[in-house]
Amino acid sequence: MPGLPPEGESVPTDGSLPSTALRAVGARGFGVYVHVPFCASRCGYCDFNTYTTSELGGGASRENYADTVLAELALAARVLGDTPPPRVDTVFVGGGTPTLLPADDLARILDGIDRTWGLAADAEVTTEANPESVTPESLKTLRAAGYTRISLGMQSAASGVLAVLDRTHSAGRATAAATEARDAGFDHVNLDLIYGTPGERAEDFAASLDQVIAAGVDHVSAYALIVEEGTRLAARMRRGELPYPSDDVAADRYLAAEAALDAAGFSWYEVSNWARTPAARCRHNLLYWTGGDWWGLGPGAHSHVGGVRWWNVKHPSAYAARLAGGASPGQAREILTADEAHMEDVMLRLRLASGLPLAVLDPAGRAGAERARAAGLLAEADYAAGRAVLTLPGRLLADAVVRDLLP
């Protein structure tokens, strides 16, 4: 989920939640997110909560990280107590580079989740991975442990683009890792792309799409490059070493992605995500986008249970220290108002191919939807059936459409 500012009310030392939040845990599904904050090196565009070995300081290490996460899991079990979720529908291990941890540690974390709350029989279990951080052997270990899905950070097939992004893998390594994952028995394999990097040519992105399709994966994510303040890439642009990304180029790249992926049998189900089949859609992300509950384990991880959202302290050392002292690692939390929950519901569900019912909009929002329909940004047939669903031009202007639906 998108990051949240470190504001809001304090989290009780024991991590307890209001009774109102516990009444319907898992009514819209329940997932677990595990944040692994380690990276071998820092990519120039990345502002995620990640740390290289030299940035960790004392009190945190890869070697004891699994035990620290399991300590937070034990705290979570105490907080939910007699009102646990019926079963865990999805698990998503993200980062950072989760696969810098030994595969056996990732297996222990998953086993801990299963022992604590139980995995649903058809649970989706995903790990992110950098292509160079996995081997055929580690992938087989993960699959045997119960991981069903892997998301590999490819970003581009062009070596020049990878260099600008400070990615360390070779241009062909991502698709090779995808093949290894399929051979290891993963049910679903995703490749991530970033488009609009300075210096990227149209033919570079076309080649990336060709390689993704040829790799035989069943899910593709493609995101426009966002230049975040405080990153090395932002500093290079401020100095004039690189041009800023172009919105027009990003739109052209998106249209190219839609055309190539649609022709190859993929269908969009969220503005930046395409899948070959409904079963290949990322159920964990759908849980976020449709208002489900999840517990986030790890430094900086965010959680949402029953309208209460909280986030952990960011640094791994502070995170480990709090748990070692028997306290919640939660830094702050907020209880969503009805208006805030409505705003987020509209923002997230409009990005889905299923859209949202027009009935959830107030009169001003309905008027905005009518303007969007007249402008060709909402699909006519769906609108007539009472739903707001983005057209292809609407996807390019999704943020503007949301603003019009939330006057």
Side-chain angles (χ1 to χ4, degrees), residues 192-246:
D192 273 344
L193 293 175
I194 289 178
Y195 56 83
T197 301
E200 179 192 64
R201 303 168 301 168
E203 51 265 40
D204 293 330
F205 188 58
S208 297
L209 290 166
D210 287 344
Q211 288 197 22
V212 164
I213 293 165
V217 299
D218 61 358
H219 191 285
V220 178
S221 300
Y223 303 98
L225 176 67
I226 297 175
V227 182
E228 303 285 0
E229 284 301 317
T231 62
R232 191 158 56 244
L233 187 62
R236 294 185 67 188
M237 290 178 179
R238 281 198 307 273
R239 293 194 297 265
E241 297 175 14
L242 294 170
Y244 284 89
S246 161

Side-chain angles (χ1 to χ4, degrees), residues 32-36 90-103 105-107 109-110 123-131 133-135 138-143 145-153 177 181 186-192 282 284:
V32 177
Y33 173 75
V34 183
H35 186 68
V36 179
T90 65
V91 177
F92 194 105
V93 185
T97 307
T99 42
L100 286 179
L101 292 182
D105 279 358
L106 293 176
I109 291 171
L110 182 59
E124 173 194 87
V125 182
T126 303
T127 185
E128 293 182 329
N130 281 351
S133 67
V134 293
T135 65
S138 69
L139 290 167
K140 289 174 184 175
T141 299
L142 290 172
R143 182 66 192 95
Y147 285 79
T148 64
R149 186 175 182 277
I150 190 165
S151 181
L152 294 156
F186 277 82
D187 297 334
H188 305 293
V189 180
N190 171 66
L191 284 171
D192 273 344
C282 180
H284 188 83

Side-chain angles (χ1 to χ4, degrees), residues 21 42 106 118 149 167 199 205 219 330 335 341 389 396-397:
R42 185 173 297 281
L106 293 176
R149 186 175 182 277
R167 298 291 291 182
F205 188 58
H219 191 285
I335 299 175
V389 175
L396 296 174
L397 297 170

Side-chain angles (χ1 to χ4, degrees), residues 31-35 72 294-298 301-304 310 312 319:
V32 177
Y33 173 75
V34 183
H35 186 68
E72 187 185 0
W294 73 92
W295 194 292
L297 303 167
H302 296 73
S303 302
H304 173 267
W310 70 94
N312 287 344
Y319 170 77

